[in-house]
Amino acid sequence: MTDKRARLQGITLAGQSGFWDLEQEAGRITALRPTPTGGGGYVMPLLADVHTHLDKTMTAPRMPHRAQSLFDAIEIMGQDATRWTDEDLRNRATEGLAKAYHHGTALMRSHVDWSHADAPRSWHVLNELAQDWRGRVDLQLSSLTALDDLARIGADIAPALRRDGGILGAFVYRNDDLATHLKTVFDLAETHDLHLDFHVDEGLDTEAQGIDAIIDETARRGMASRVLCGHGCALSVRDPAEVETLLGRAAEAGIGLTVLPGANSYLQDAGPGRTPRLRGLAPLREAAAAGVPVMLGSDNVRDGFFPYGDYDLIDVLRMGVLMGHLPPEDWLDGISARPAAWMGHDLSLRSGGPADFIHFDATDLNDVISRPSAVRRVWRDGAVLSPFHGDL
């Protein structure tokens, strides 16, 4: 459906009180006006998914068994990766991007496994897709390399990232000689003017304290707003007083935190024939209270790490709300404004801005979270997207 001119009357607008009329023409919002009458639905900005894995996505049917731990998932996904082709990668990642687009995601960052000096085929394929999808889902790419390997091959990876506009990423978990290896990574980031995105402390071991060293190095280098830490599962089992102090330091250093409720709750404390007790959810409420920018992401979708999901950030927010006891309206920015700003974009709704938004048949965000079946209409350039049925 294409509307050269359209008006939504009596809507509830995310982050605003009262009711509003929204007018748009030729793909731009021409007016946002308060109105005394409601009942027109709920409107929110488009969404930003700052932590995904498009190289692995949609491989769940090929997994030999359900992963029993993070490292089991790494093993079975590594076996599958030996069979990836350009066509396989392109088809799976395209499906993921299409799902995200039709759910209302405008920005995405995907981590890409990178274990040798030369760029993997997935990096080349996803760079091509980033060009193809520009303007629909603007895609950033981050390398993902085990910290010990990155200290060895980072000098080959970093120039390629700089050339392609990528992010330098590392997997950090109980590494020997941690401080030295992190110094090498930060040196590379400074030399090549790269942002950093870490998978850190993704386990339930209280001795996993990689994030402490990352905070120290970020503060020492003055790299505020350039270092993002994902997962932080070990923070959920460390001493609360110690964590409170640590989060205060993280806020002062200007580090961001991405919490991944799907895959973390699925893999942490997993075991055959038993109900998990510990879900590995990083202390996102405490982090936000300390002043840390906290975001939520889809992480793995339908692969060996997490066999579910649909690149629907509203579903991710719903998981976060339920697991973290979050007030929904206070956390919408965690899947929209905050990660968008972290990726260098602005998705806010304003008069004169693009007519890009999501309209729910719902009274407010609590209603959206409570009713997954609430009708959703994604507007892009002043038109409602047709429902996605697997065709592009």
Side-chain angles (χ1 to χ4, degrees):
M1 173 179 126
T2 302
D3 293 314
K4 293 182 180 179
R5 302 181 65 180
R7 182 180 184 186
L8 299 180
Q9 297 178 282
I11 61 171
T12 303
L13 193 60
Q16 302 293 330
S17 59
F19 303 113
W20 297 77
D21 289 345
L22 184 155
E23 297 178 5
Q24 74 88 26
E25 183 174 359
R28 311 297 293 186
I29 296 174
T30 54
L32 278 171
R33 299 191 185 93
T35 184
T37 306
Y42 175 78
V43 169
M44 66 171 66
L46 295 179
L47 308 175
D49 205 342
V50 75
H51 189 122
T52 69
H53 292 269
L54 283 171
D55 56 346
K56 301 180 179 73
T57 199
M58 305 300 165
T59 57
R62 308 196 309 223
M63 295 300 104
H65 58 266
R66 171 185 169 164
Q68 298 300 311
S69 68
L70 170 67
F71 290 97
D72 187 23
I74 291 173
E75 175 65 24
I76 60 178
M77 281 302 318
Q79 294 171 4
D80 191 75
T82 63
R83 299 187 289 273
W84 293 353
T85 64
D86 287 9
E87 182 181 16
D88 173 55
L89 284 158
R90 188 172 294 107
N91 289 343
R92 291 188 289 102
T94 297
E95 182 179 356
L97 287 163
K99 288 176 178 292
Y101 176 63
H102 283 83
H103 285 310
T105 291
L107 307 169
M108 181 183 288
R109 178 181 292 181
S110 177
H111 298 273
V112 180
D113 284 7
W114 195 323
S115 56
H116 302 286
D118 294 334
R121 70 166 66 240
S122 49
W123 184 265
H124 298 298
V125 171
L126 290 178
N127 260 306
E128 292 174 0
L129 285 176
Q131 300 301 316
D132 295 343
W133 280 83
R134 182 167 295 169
R136 291 179 290 170
V137 179
D138 288 336
L139 177 63
Q140 289 184 351
L141 299 180
S142 173
S143 61
L144 178 57
T145 308
L147 180 63
D148 294 350
D149 291 337
L150 190 56
R152 178 175 50 84
I153 61 176
D156 296 299
I157 295 175
L161 298 180
R162 176 63 178 167
R163 180 195 66 220
D164 295 336
I167 313 295
L168 182 61
F171 175 80
V172 179
Y173 191 73
R174 297 200 63 187
N175 299 82
D176 293 332
D177 207 9
L178 175 64
T180 299
H181 287 168
L182 278 179
K183 181 180 182 301
T184 300
V185 174
F186 276 81
D187 285 346
L188 289 168
E190 288 189 327
T191 299
H192 298 277
D193 193 23
L194 298 171
H195 286 224
L196 293 168
D197 196 332
F198 291 97
H199 285 53
V200 60
D201 300 342
E202 192 178 350
L204 299 175
D205 189 334
T206 58
E207 294 182 6
Q209 299 180 12
I211 194 169
D212 306 51
I214 292 170
I215 291 168
D216 290 344
E217 198 66 26
T218 302
R220 187 177 301 116
R221 309 253 182 163
M223 289 182 63
S225 302
R226 296 174 62 88
V227 180
L228 188 58
C229 289
H231 298 288
C233 303
L235 293 172
S236 68
V237 293
R238 289 174 60 179
D239 176 77
E242 179 181 278
V243 170
E244 181 180 5
T245 299
L246 183 67
L247 293 173
R249 288 168 46 208
E252 291 174 3
I255 281 179
L257 175 66
T258 310
V259 178
L260 297 313
N264 285 161
S265 63
Y266 182 79
L267 286 176
Q268 300 304 315
D269 199 26
R274 62 180 292 275
T275 302
R277 272 57 164 185
L278 305 174
R279 309 315 299 271
L281 188 71
L284 66 177
R285 297 186 69 171
E286 293 85 346
V292 176
V294 183
M295 294 153 259
L296 302 172
S298 291
D299 200 9
N300 298 84
V301 175
R302 300 193 198 182
D303 62 20
F305 291 82
F306 187 63
Y308 310 113
D310 206 41
Y311 288 99
D312 183 357
L313 280 169
I314 300 301
D315 188 47
V316 172
L317 178 61
R318 181 177 293 111
M319 284 191 286
V321 164
L322 297 178
M323 294 172 61
H325 295 185
L326 309 178
E329 203 62 67
D330 293 347
W331 284 84
L332 178 60
D333 282 355
I335 59 169
S336 186
R338 198 168 299 126
W342 203 266
M343 290 188 275
H345 294 266
D346 179 5
L347 296 177
S348 61
L349 300 179
R350 61 192 183 280
S351 183
D356 297 339
F357 52 85
I358 307 172
H359 180 208
F360 282 94
D361 286 348
T363 56
D364 55 21
L365 186 55
N366 187 78
D367 195 24
V368 171
I369 295 298
S370 300
R371 295 191 300 114
S373 60
V375 174
R376 177 189 323 196
R377 301 175 187 88
V378 176
W379 289 70
R380 299 296 300 265
D381 297 320
V384 178
L385 299 184
S386 301
F388 177 58
H389 300 296
D391 52 335
L392 302 178

